[in-house]
Amino acid sequence: MKELKIDVTLSTEKKQKPSFDNLEFGKSFTDHMFVWNYTEGKGWHDARIIPYQPITLDPAATVFHYGQTVFEGLKAYLTKDEQILLFRPDENMKRFNRSNDRLCMPELDEEGALSALKQLIQIDREWIPSGEGTSLYIRPFMIATEAFLGVHPANSYQFMIILSPVGAYYKEGINPVKIAVESEYVRAVAGGTGNAKTAGNYAASLKASEIASENGYSQVLWLDGRENQYIEEVGSMNVFFKINGEVITPELNGSILEGITRKSIIELLNYMNIPVVERRISIHEIEQAYRDGVLEEAFGTGTAAVISPIGEFLWKNEKMAVNNGEIGPLSQKLYDTLTGIQNGTKEDPFGWSVQI
Amino acid sequence: MKELKIDVTLSTEKKQKPSFDNLEFGKSFTDHMFVWNYTEGKGWHDARIIPYQPITLDPAATVFHYGQTVFEGLKAYLTKDEQILLFRPDENMKRFNRSNDRLCMPELDEEGALSALKQLIQIDREWIPSGEGTSLYIRPFMIATEAFLGVHPANSYQFMIILSPVGAYYKEGINPVKIAVESEYVRAVAGGTGNAKTAGNYAASLKASEIASENGYSQVLWLDGRENQYIEEVGSMNVFFKINGEVITPELNGSILEGITRKSIIELLNYMNIPVVERRISIHEIEQAYRDGVLEEAFGTGTAAVISPIGEFLWKNEKMAVNNGEIGPLSQKLYDTLTGIQNGTKEDPFGWSVQI
């Protein structure tokens, strides 16, 4: 890999680290950050690692008004023998550029960004926690910075990487969550930005989550925006169902995010010789499977939580329990296997883990 | 109206003003800005007018990652006798709060914000241009500022108002524009955020505009996300058609922005006794009207351009000319009447104009 030339300014004061035994997700950040600027006509310039510090932007910067922004999320793990592992980071960089294309943002030099990410983690390596379920969450993101009020792609951008030591996403561990099927609000529709990792998708999701939360549900199950019946995602995760021995996940259709954990779970299931299909699946089919007693398991997948088992769906005032509200054996096995590969305690037959 | 108590810090150096004869839209900003902070548990605090300056935010601020942001756009006009007129500013503040609700953002004190807006304009009143078609564009906006990576509503926000002296939105004047009917990309869908004025909608629209622009078209005509046939908006404007003597605009359906210019045009048409209806209208109906020779006029409406006549639609490789590509008499009359009311040169029977 080509090493990106980066100007490094180390912080003179080190921050107090949070207790690694009781980390909250996304609340504390390391001593340094990576910043890279893009200017139309000049390209990418001024790659630098600097002390973690506020961003200063003109109030008219495009990101505040017209939302040109893309992000990624991945994790670094510290192995028992103090090695640092990344999980399929090239997949994140590829998706970053797919998102950039959708948002009319400049193409990122994937190798350069990955090189920067590795250098930054090396500098802040003391921030990688080593306890069970912990990791260093990595957030690469790009924002449009041009000071101009007009609806068109900006002429200047800033790409950054920040790092946050994290515990498990759900404090309660991988206990099954209760999910409300959403029939009013829509996360995304084909032709929109649902398959890009951009801020607007998440902003659009808040209202439904808020209502679900008020009713005692952790998240919502999103249905498609066209017919309001086909399953898309759960919260900000992809979703899988095990029905009558077969694992089913909604096929990519333009409005579903192409999750890297999703892809890995499909590959892992194939490796385990467990039947898995990507296809359109409706809430009615889930309801029927529940009635027939063949809705065996359901779980969400994503970088933050890895596997999040679902113990109940609320659909039109009916509560449909999954596996008696307990984590199913497949969900547990996939969680153990994938997190084991990620943190280096299990064999990685796929070559997914990348050592820094 | 209740006057908001605002701490005022005047700039010590005045900026060089741009030439008011050749203003570009949204490129230069006045000497001051209004800032107001919201903190959960504390409410709105620290209302202040300060010199126009950069915003400083933590790199983990919610606005950069999860897109909680809302904005408005309105204009101030300088009349011949040096009075300052605003156009229906209470409507903008009401819509601001409707958008806030959709984005799970805190409710704004509408009267307070309007009072701040007026005080800010008074301080920067020398920046209001007085030439034909010019005005002071006002951009109130709110962003989520909490430094936290997690998909939930932030606990802190910043509301701001910035001002920009502007010329006509289209440099070429109100010449008709050519519009490509978009059949792949979608701006918004019912259940999404299309009826809120939030950044993600605009980010989602860029790709289609870029492609249209490459093909020589100014903007796209958006079709609905469910059936890809019903007309929603044009570019970032509402859209009207005059067919066989009757004016038709798509009815509000959850994915169309409730434009203040749209509303005013409907009220103006009613006042003029010109038949106007809000209803669902498909691209097939437009095509049929074109073939029958009764597609008399078409135009977009919005704060920036006011009225933007449409001279041609491109639909499935067929060019459908409207009124021979020339501005129609109704479009011209509506433009003259509405801009006349706005800048104080025409009588305002509606009480729309508000003097500062």
Side-chain angles (χ1 to χ4, degrees), chain A residues 187 195 220-224 229-235 237-243 246-259 261-263 265-266 269 276-283 285-286 295 297-301 310 313:
Chain A
R187 178 189 164 272
N195 57 352
V220 300
L221 187 74
W222 296 108
L223 302 182
D224 78 286
Q229 61 163 317
Y230 295 104
I231 290 160
E232 299 247 319
E233 300 193 10
V234 61
M237 292 182 286
N238 294 116
V239 64
F240 287 75
F241 302 90
K242 181 160 173 268
I243 297 176
E246 184 186 57
V247 182
I248 302 158
T249 191
E251 66 187 354
L252 299 175
N253 59 0
S255 55
I256 293 176
L257 188 75
E258 198 176 336
T261 311
R262 174 187 181 279
K263 181 178 182 174
I265 288 293
I266 294 169
L269 287 165
V276 55
V277 289
E278 299 173 68
R279 66 166 169 87
R280 210 159 72 148
I281 179 166
S282 75
I283 185 64
E285 185 178 341
I286 298 298
L295 179 57
E297 299 191 34
F299 56 89
T301 65
I310 297 166
F313 291 104

Side-chain angles (χ1 to χ4, degrees), chain A residues 25-26 52-59 64-66 69 71 101 139 141 148-149 186 191 199 203 207 225-226 228, chain B residues 25-26 52-59 64-66 69 71 101 139 141 148-149 186 191 199 203 207 225-226 228:
Chain A
F25 198 96
Y52 188 92
Q53 61 191 263
I55 300 171
T56 296
L57 289 174
D58 194 282
F64 297 134
H65 304 273
Y66 305 119
T69 172
F71 73 89
D101 180 66
R139 171 57 58 92
F141 66 111
F148 173 65
L149 297 182
V186 167
K207 187 77 177 171
R226 291 197 169 184
N228 270 111
Chain B
F25 198 95
Y52 188 92
Q53 60 192 264
I55 300 170
T56 297
L57 289 175
D58 193 282
F64 297 134
H65 304 273
Y66 305 119
T69 173
F71 72 90
D101 180 66
R139 170 58 59 91
F141 67 110
F148 173 65
L149 297 182
V186 166
K207 187 78 178 172
R226 291 196 169 185
N228 272 108

Side-chain angles (χ1 to χ4, degrees), chain A residues 103-119:
Chain A
L103 275 296
C104 300
M105 292 168 69
E107 189 179 358
L108 191 64
D109 166 0
E110 293 174 21
E111 281 204 6
L114 202 46
S115 158
L117 189 156
K118 291 177 179 176
Q119 291 182 59

